[in-house]
Amino acid sequence: MPDAAIAHSPLFTNLSPDECRIVSEMMTASCYESGEAIITEGKETSSLYLLSHGTCRVRKHMGNGADQDLDTLEAGAVFGEISFFCPGPHSATVVAETRATILSLSREQFHELQRERPTAALKITLHATATLARRLRRMDEWTCALVEKGTAPEKHTEWHEFRAQLYSNWNF
Amino acid sequence: MSSYEDASRYFHQAAGIMGLSKNMQKLLLTPEREMKVQIALERDNGEISTFIGYRIQHNSARGPMKGGLRFHHEVDEDEVLGLATLMTWKTAVVNIPYGGAKGGISVNVKELTQGEKDRLTRKFVDVIHDMVGPDKDIPAPDMGTNAQVMAWFMNQYSKFHGFNPACVTGKPVELHGSEGREEATGRGVVTLTERLLNKARREITETTFAIQGFGNVGSHAARRLAELGGKVVAVSDVSGGIWNPEGLDIPKLLDYASETGSISNFPGTDAIDNDGLLTADVDVLIPAALGGVITSDNAAEIRAKYIIEAANAPVTPEADEIFAHKNVIVLPDILANAGGVTVSYFEWVQNRQHFKWDVNRVRDELHRIMSDSFDKVWQIAEEKDISLRLAAYLLGIGRVGRATVLGGI
């Protein structure tokens, strides 16, 4: 059985103790120092990653040349699922913020799991789908906020606050 | 502390209460245009003197800018800017359709002959005539200038732009000036004082007054107070002060002052100095001369319960705080001495209509504007539980702010 941090990972929540053991045995553990990239935007790998210890940052290179932090991952978080299920370059970079231990499951191992323990593989797929769905929902919210910001009728917030103050409390 | 800093201190206090952002405070406080000019003058003795003149236009959100033109050796950019901002709030407090400006020439006016003063005024008009005018910026008399200077101003302005008496106010009554302009500030002071005493449930006839300054403002205030039965017990001018606890005979004093040119040695009075006048045992103190005369040094000694700022900024911000703790009520300059600019406005209105009002109409309209403005400021002070000064600033800043919002930037 893997350590407690992994056991509490949502990835394993619905797995039976036996499935849990098999999956964790399939996974490879690697250590990363703070600042080291685990996956790099634009590069391709074919594994699913589970953050076992430490904290990581998800970072994206923006059109204006700056790097934008998108998220912070804590122990138990799963990442790399986009390239895992849809082979292609990573959409963002994940960098270890602290010293971090990562468990990875390669696509080949996952195919093996599908053959050997299809229920466990389905549970992992469902979990990864839920993660993707959550991220898609958050992306929708960001898109809406960006659209609102870009097309809002009034961009001059300060001017409007000024107007509101002068016409409410201070209009004698 | 500079004049501008002093003037902006109250602004920032009020703007802070209103929760205006730093950027909006900057927008309201930054002057629109500052003009600094050289005026070279050939003196009667053949010497060449060079003077610096200023015209600072602070804000025109509510209308053409309005403000005095002073000839005084202490005039500098900082002082003119501070006074220009005061004019913006002042015209807004009394709700006349003007913005604020101020100007002046740094010159010791006592050293100038009448002819030199005439030429100096005209040379100043020559360099600023494009930025002033009835729809832009309308100067008026101030320290060291008078109706005669305004007449020269108008005459010189008309050489560039044609006949247009509304380009300046405070002109002689014979030359498109208004009846009641000279007495306006003093009369306004008394209307407001009456209103204030009324709120305090005091009768003017049972109230004693001390007035610092017996010029255009102080003498007219004294005359009007005496007419209403008030007891003026002390007055002073540059020559010193006089005191009679039984009350001064103001009509006789006015005659005496115009005959002798000063109030000193007026029969039946004791001499007092200016400090003595300020700390005299009276109910109401009216500083009607210079700015900065009541400071943290003498504020604690002042016995009056009401101070009417007939002059501009006679009470320093530090003294103002002391009075707040002592429960002394200070009627702030931007309201107290606004009678002058109000009748200047009437003069401008008459000039533009080519129709002359009689003195009673001027006095009635002045009384209406002063009373309404006082009531508004008093109401704000009560509602918000703040001083009359902050209430006046809230009213003025609010009006200028709304005009800015409506007009856009």
Side-chain angles (χ1 to χ4, degrees), chain B residues 146-197:
Chain B
N146 54 20
Q148 174 62 75
V149 174
M150 298 304 117
W152 292 326
F153 194 109
M154 178 191 97
N155 185 274
Q156 192 67 8
Y157 181 86
S158 63
K159 289 176 185 166
F160 294 99
H161 303 276
F163 172 76
N164 210 331
C167 70
V168 67
T169 60
K171 300 177 295 290
V173 176
E174 297 84 351
L175 199 65
H176 309 283
S178 175
E179 296 285 350
R181 171 64 182 85
E182 199 186 292
E183 66 176 23
T185 308
R187 205 175 170 91
V189 161
V190 176
T191 301
L192 296 163
T193 306
E194 236 188 318
R195 211 87 184 165
L196 179 62
L197 292 174

Side-chain angles (χ1 to χ4, degrees), chain B residues 3 45 382:
Chain B
S3 308
N45 63 8
E382 281 208 319

Side-chain angles (χ1 to χ4, degrees), chain A residues 158 165-167 170-172, chain B residues 17-19 21 23 380 402:
Chain A
E158 190 163 26
Q165 278 155 342
L166 292 169
Y167 277 98
W170 311 105
N171 192 9
F172 300 106
Chain B
I17 293 176
M18 296 168 87
S21 72
N23 290 338
I380 296 168
R402 281 187 295 278

Side-chain angles (χ1 to χ4, degrees), chain B residues 279-291:
Chain B
T279 56
D281 188 10
V282 291
D283 302 310
V284 181
L285 173 62
I286 306 180
L290 297 169

Side-chain angles (χ1 to χ4, degrees), chain A residues 1-13:
Chain A
M1 183 67 206
D3 62 47
I6 302 176
H8 287 115
S9 165
L11 186 62
F12 291 82
T13 319

